[in-house]
């Protein structure tokens, strides 16, 4: 019944069901009602860790070394159960940074380095090829074995079958087609494949159930329970011998290695990373998974040992039946056709699950991190300008899938027989273990740099290739194996499996020791050689710092002096910035600012420094945006800072202009007020002057008219009137002259004849000219101190004018007959002092300044009509103008009732006596 | 019955001319040379007409005019403002304060006499 075509049909049927499930799940995802957003599905999908290695290989390993099959399940169990926080962090970081693969993770962490992404991809592809080959081998072998039912014939050696008859080739081709159909129907920005996850979860169930079915059959169908199997095994010496070997010391060493390796592998294998991290829908699902996944592992391994023992018992002495095949051959040997088919489907399930997820993950990495960066760099293809590259991307991925499976098949043919299934898997484990330092370091150490990661990965990969991969080719005969025995170039120390004399370890451990040693050493060493640059630091904060760094005010992170100095320099000026940082370095006990480490303190200092220039909020925003993730390159930050500083400079300019404007406006307002006042003053002056001029005119006209009207006015009246006319005319003329004089003086258009003037002489002359008037009024005039030699620099005539004015004023106000006027001349402190004192009524304090105003005259006379002062009221203002022109002062001292004393001073001039030639020189 | 005219001006020569002019017309004349004296004389002399200068000590002509017009006893008195201040605003002010006429100096003697006669008629 189990003919070839039945098996083939069953296979295709199963694959079809898987495809249908995937398609349905994708449909549900598109409509928003996701099938897989469920912690149970997540935990089950993690079961993709268990491949045909688990399905077939565990029994094989158990048959060879007892419970030695366990360690690779202990690793994940320990990781999930005890170190779940690592997974939490990884998922959180991946989600925050939109990570789509392990290559993306590493590249992004170390400053978004495409080179690093490419390297990781290459390592992943090379490392996982053996593992894919393993699946191909398992499927083709299981098919061959089942097809030869009821005989149990072990399939031929991998390389022995001609190419076109090799079922493995067809398996590879079918799987390639299936995967392409599965995973490259459309592009998803998040690289999530809900359909795939649903199918994988179903597959996990299928293989678990299949294995359990076999187990149940073996334990209770073939025997009478577990105890029965162990009892029988103990009786068979060679079986017991197998069990005992599990306790050898070498076994423990290997256990340690295997636990270690499997811990990393369960996270770092591309398919594991894809399912556990990228496809994770909700971080909270992890909480269920940390116990569900170990439970799954426990269940699927439950019957491994019993089956192994039963197989050894049933096919004694290595009777031509590979222990790897016990799960299949035992039911076959007992004519359990249905069960055998089910088991075969289980195995197929395990294989397809692995291949699909692994190749999809790898093709994503190849496309995103290897091919596309290269293609985009070739300007001839003009790809960077194309708007929609999705078609191209999908094509690349399809080809990647095909090529990977092709390579897997090639490895299978070339090296598939060198090892048992388990060992091939371990080669892959050791390869992805190279990612451990950069990934774990990337999650927990901020000091890792891109160069360090490159160095570590490259070194580790080289050693892995040399100590594990090449020997595997050599042992299959495709490479000369001389170098294994004698070392590269014949140097014994360079023997790949006993490198530098490290003997006594199995090859996996040996490889692990050397590759991880060199890897970690290079990673840490090269990272420490320089401080992480801004990008790396930024990414470090995002990855290591966790959620706190994601744009929340209390930032944490670091940036180096090489980036912070120019940043601060753009704002403060490079010198000032250097100064400040040097100070900071000195405070921290360093010799120069270049020794400053890229740590929080430094960035905090830079922030404070910037805050002084651009304000604390802006400084914080700037530093935060530079240290935390923001799609701002350093150029963009500089541009923003430049713009901000330009804006500030402009604002300062504007403020200054505004202030100037305000000042100018105030000045203008003041000037305007002054002008208005002057205008008013001018109006007042004109009004007063016209009034003053009109007054004498009135008399002149009135009397003239009256005389004209009536010629018969008597002589006495007539002469009286004519006398008044004459005197008013004189008054008028005098007034006009004085007004003009004052106007000239005030406008500065007066002509001065300046020379050294003998003051005493002028006084005497003035007194002489007024003497008749004094005699008329019978007022005494006394001159004191009028010595020669008191010279001043002045205009003689004008000085005369002043003296006449003062003397005539005094004369005007003193009483008749008892009036006394005295002139005193003296010199003191470089000045000549002249005073004119009278014993008139004096001037009230309030009037002492008023009298120097234009047209103002003294009051205080009892009978204004009679004693109205003859005068224009312009004498004193003019005198003051004259005196002040020559840098002198004119003022009055008076007490009402005690006379008045007018004083003026002039700077004394040393000069010859009597030399009063006008020189016309101005001092 | 001759009319009484009060001359108010602080310029002596102008007072002389006005006095002569008005006496010639046969009116009785009194003189005041500042604002306060003017009000005093207005009360004492009880003129029929006042020739009122503006620029005077103690009280200006405007104030005197205002005071006279405020006094009901002086309601009948005619006031002619006679002043060298001739700006339009001042003319308006004078008339607004209640002056019956406003004549600027220098004045025409003929016109003045005519004005006086017409007001006293």
């Amino acid at each position: 019944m189990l003919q070839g075509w039945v098996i083939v049909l069953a296979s295709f049927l199963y694959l079809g069901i898987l495809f249908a499930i995937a398609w349905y799940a994708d449909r549900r995802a598109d409509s928003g009602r996701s099938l897989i957003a469920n912690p149970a599905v997540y935990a089950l999908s993690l079961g993709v860790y268990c491949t045909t290695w688990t399905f077939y290989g565990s029994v094989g390993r158990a048959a060879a070394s007892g419970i030695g099959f366990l360690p690779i399940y202990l690793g994940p169990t320990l990781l999930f159960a005890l170190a779940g926080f690592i997974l939490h962090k990884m998922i959180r970081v991946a989600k925050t940074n939109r990570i789509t693969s392990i290559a993306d993770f590493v590249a992004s962490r170390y400053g978004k380095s495409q080179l690093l992404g490419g390297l990781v991809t290459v390592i992943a592809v090379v490392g996982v090829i053996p593992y894919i080959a393993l699946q191909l081998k398992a499927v083709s072998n299981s098919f061959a074995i089942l097809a030869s039912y009821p005989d149990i014939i072990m399939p031929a050696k991998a390389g022995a079958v001609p190419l076109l008859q090799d079922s493995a080739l067809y398996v590879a081709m079918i799987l390639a087609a299936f995967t392409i159909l599965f995973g490259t129907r459309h592009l998803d920005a998040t690289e999530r494949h809900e359909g795939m996850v649903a199918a994988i979860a179903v597959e996990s169930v299928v293989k678990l159930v299949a294995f359990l079915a076999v187990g149940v059959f073996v334990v209770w169908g073939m025997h009478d329970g577990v105890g029965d199997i162990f009892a029988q095994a103990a009786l068979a010496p060679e079986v017991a011998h197998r069990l005992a070997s599990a306790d050898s010391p070498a076994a423990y060493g290997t256990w340690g290695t295997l636990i270690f390796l499997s811990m990393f592998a369960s996270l770092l294998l591309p398919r594991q990373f894809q399912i556990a991290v990228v496809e994770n829908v909700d971080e909270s699902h992890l909480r269920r998974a940390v116990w569900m996944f170990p439970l799954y592992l426990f269940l699927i391994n439950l019957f491994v040992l019993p089956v192994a023992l039963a197989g050894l018992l049933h096919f004694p002495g290595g009777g031509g039946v590979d222990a790897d095949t016990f799960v299949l051959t035992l039911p076959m040997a007992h004519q359990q056709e249905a069960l055998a088919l089910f088991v075969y489907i289980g195995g197929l399930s395990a294989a397809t699950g692995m291949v699909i997820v692994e190749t999809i993950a790898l093709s994503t990495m190849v496309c995103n991190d290897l091919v596309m960066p290269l293609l985009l760099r070739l300007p001839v293809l003009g790809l960077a300008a194309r708007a929609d590259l999705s078609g191209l991307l999908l094509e690349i991925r399809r080809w990647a899938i095909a090529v990977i499976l092709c390579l897997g098949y090639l490895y299978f043919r070339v090296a598939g027989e060198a090892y048992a299934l388990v060992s091939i898997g371990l080669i892959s484990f050791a390869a992805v273990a190279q990612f451990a330092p950069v990934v774990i370091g990337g999650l927990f150490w901020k000091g890792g740099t891109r160069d360090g990661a490159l160095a570590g990965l490259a070194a580790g990969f080289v050693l892995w290739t040399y100590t594990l991969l090449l020997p595997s080719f050599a042992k299959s005969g495709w490479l000369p194996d001389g170098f294994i025995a004698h070392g590269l170039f014949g140097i014994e120390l360079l023997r790949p499996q006993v490198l530098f004399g490290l003997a006594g370890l199995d090859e996996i451990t040996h490889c692990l020791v050397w590759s991880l040693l060199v890897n970690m050493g290079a990673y840490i060493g090269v990272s420490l050689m320089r401080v992480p640059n801004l990008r790396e630091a930024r990414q470090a904060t995002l990855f290591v710092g966790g959620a706190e760094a994601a744009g929340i005010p209390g930032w944490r992170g670091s940036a180096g002096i090489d980036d912070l100095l120019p940043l601060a320099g753009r704002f403060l000026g490079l010198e000032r910035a250097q100064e400040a940082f040097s100070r900071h370095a000195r405070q921290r006990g360093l010799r120069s600012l270049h020794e400053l480490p890229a740590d929080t303190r430094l960035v905090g200092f830079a922030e404070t420094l910037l805050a002084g220039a651009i304000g604390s909020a802006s400084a914080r925003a700037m530093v935060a945006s530079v240290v935390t993730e923001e799609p701002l390159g350093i150029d963009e930050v500089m541009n923003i800072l430049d713009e901000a500083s330009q804006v500030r400079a402009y604002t300062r300019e504007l403020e200054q202009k505004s202030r100037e404007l305000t000042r100018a406006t105030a000045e203008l307002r003041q000037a305007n007020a002054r002008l208005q006042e002057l205008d008013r003053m001018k109006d007042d002056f004109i009004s007063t002057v016209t009034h003053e001029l009109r007054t004498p005119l009135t008399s002149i006209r009135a009397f003239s008219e009256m005389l004209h009207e009536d010629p018969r006015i008597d002589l006495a009246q007539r002469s009286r009137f004519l006398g008044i006319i004459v005197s008013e005319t004189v008054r008028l003329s005098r007034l006009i002259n004085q007004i003009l004089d004052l106007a000239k003086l005030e406008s500065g258009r007066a002509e001065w004849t300046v020379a050294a003037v003998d003051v005493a002489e002028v006084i005497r002359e003035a007194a002489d000219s007024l003497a008749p008037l004094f005699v008329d009024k019978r007022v005494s005039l006394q001159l004191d101190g009028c010595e020669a030699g008191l010279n001043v620099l002045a205009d003689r005539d004008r000085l005369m004018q002043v003296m006449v004015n003062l003397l005539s004023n005094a004369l005007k106000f003193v009483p008749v007959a008892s009036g006394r006027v005295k002139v005193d001349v003296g010199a003191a402190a470089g000045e000549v002092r002249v005073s004119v004192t009278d014993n008139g009524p004096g001037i009230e304090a309030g009037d002492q300044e008023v009298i120097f105003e234009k047209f103002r005259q003294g009051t205080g006379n009892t009978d204004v009509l009679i004693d109205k002062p003859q005068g224009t009221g312009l004498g004193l203002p003019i005198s003051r103008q004259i005196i002040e022109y020559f840098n002198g002062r004119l003022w009055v001292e008076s007490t009402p009732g005690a006379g008045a004393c007018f004083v003026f001073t002039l700077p004394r001039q040393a000069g010859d006596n009597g030399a009063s030639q006008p020189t016309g020189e101005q001092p | 019955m001759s009319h009484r005219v009060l001359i108010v001006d602080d310029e002596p020569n102008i007072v002389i001319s006005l006095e002569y002019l008005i006496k010639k017309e046969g009116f009785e004349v009194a003189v005041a040379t500042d604002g306060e004296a003017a009000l005093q004389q207005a009360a004492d002399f009880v003129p029929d007409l006042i020739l009122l200068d503006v620029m005077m000590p103690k009280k200006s002509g405007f104030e005197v005019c205002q005071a006279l017009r405020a006094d009901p006893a002086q309601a009948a008195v005619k006031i002619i403002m006679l002043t060298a201040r001739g700006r339009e605003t001042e003319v308006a002010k004078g008339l607004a304060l209640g002056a019956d006429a406003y004549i600027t100096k220098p004045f025409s003697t003929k016109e003045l006499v005519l004005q006086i006669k017409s007001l006293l008629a």
Side-chain angles (χ1 to χ4, degrees), chain A residues 687 691 694-695 698-699 701 703 705-706 709-710 713 717 720-721 724 728 731 865 868, chain B residues 10-14 16-17 20-21 24 33 55 84-86 105-110:
Chain A
S687 150
H691 183 272
R694 280 184 180 145
T695 304
T698 308
S699 301
R701 182 175 178 180
F703 286 118
E705 281 183 0
M706 287 187 314
E709 264 321 284
D710 188 4
I713 295 177
Q717 289 276 53
R720 188 176 170 220
F721 288 174
I724 291 174
E728 289 294 301
R731 177 179 166 195
L865 192 60
K868 180 172 164 121
Chain B
D10 64 332
E11 256 314 305
N13 288 338
I14 295 178
I16 294 170
S17 61
Y20 179 84
L21 209 57
K24 189 150 161 274
T33 55
M55 300 301 287
R85 297 190 78 93
K105 299 179 192 167
F107 53 84
S108 150
T109 48
K110 264 202 229 148

Side-chain angles (χ1 to χ4, degrees), chain A residues 21 27 193 241 263 460 463 477 553 577 636 714 717 743 780 865 898:
Chain A
I21 293 173
R27 275 275 300 274
H193 312 81
H241 168 76
M263 264 175 79
L463 255 93
E636 289 144 298
D714 63 280
Q717 289 276 53
S780 76
L865 192 60

Side-chain angles (χ1 to χ4, degrees), chain A residues 95-147:
Chain A
K95 294 238 178 299
T96 317
N97 296 280
R98 298 175 286 274
I99 302 291
T100 56
S101 69
I102 189 110
D104 195 11
F105 185 90
V106 176
S108 175
R109 163 63 181 85
Y110 294 100
K112 305 198 177 159
S113 159
Q114 280 177 339
L115 183 58
L116 208 50
L119 182 60
V120 170
T121 307
V122 166
I123 296 175
V125 168
V126 172
V128 169
I129 299 270
Y131 210 154
I132 292 176
L134 169 64
Q135 311 305 315
L136 295 177
K137 175 171 174 174
V139 171
S140 68
N141 282 0
S142 61
F143 177 80
I145 291 169
L146 199 59

Side-chain angles (χ1 to χ4, degrees), chain A residues 629-784:
Chain A
E629 170 71 75
E630 199 90 339
L632 283 175
I634 194 91
D635 287 329
E636 289 144 298
V637 173
M638 292 305 191
N639 285 340
I640 289 174
L641 289 178
D642 273 341
E643 237 182 78
S645 70
Q646 274 177 23
V647 168
R648 281 172 53 84
Y650 188 60
T651 311
R652 266 196 296 272
E653 258 185 65
L654 278 177
E655 277 173 18
Q656 216 174 339
K657 285 209 179 104
S658 159
R659 268 198 299 274
E660 281 175 18
L661 265 174
T662 316
R663 224 180 302 135
T665 312
E667 278 175 16
L668 274 172
R669 219 177 277 128
Q670 266 179 10
N672 198 36
R674 245 198 318 258
L675 274 173
Q676 282 179 338
E677 209 190 298
L678 282 173
D679 205 41
R680 227 189 351 264
M681 275 169 64
K682 181 204 77 187
D683 276 347
D684 283 346
F685 180 71
I686 286 176
S687 150
T688 314
V689 162
T690 50
H691 183 272
E692 294 297 309
L693 292 174
R694 280 184 180 145
T695 304
L697 272 174
T698 308
S699 301
I700 295 170
R701 182 175 178 180
F703 286 118
S704 305
E705 281 183 0
M706 287 187 314
L707 284 169
H708 186 70
E709 264 321 284
D710 188 4
R712 285 177 282 108
I713 295 177
D714 63 280
L715 190 62
Q717 289 276 53
R718 207 184 310 154
S719 37
R720 188 176 170 220
F721 288 174
L722 285 169
I724 291 174
I725 290 171
V726 168
S727 72
E728 289 294 301
T729 312
V730 167
R731 177 179 166 195
L732 186 58
S733 313
R734 189 168 60 238
L735 189 64
I736 291 172
N737 289 338
Q738 277 189 324
I739 289 171
L740 286 175
D741 202 22
L742 192 61
K744 257 203 294 191
L745 282 174
E746 282 195 337
S747 73
R749 284 199 298 262
E751 281 157 13
W752 303 90
T753 310
V754 181
V757 173
D758 189 326
V759 174
E761 205 192 310
V762 167
I763 294 173
R764 248 178 267 123
E765 197 177 315
D768 287 343
S769 71
L770 287 172
L773 295 170
F774 273 86
V775 168
D776 277 350
K777 203 172 172 183
R778 285 175 283 138
V779 173
S780 76
L781 176 59
Q782 191 180 338
L783 304 179
D784 278 341

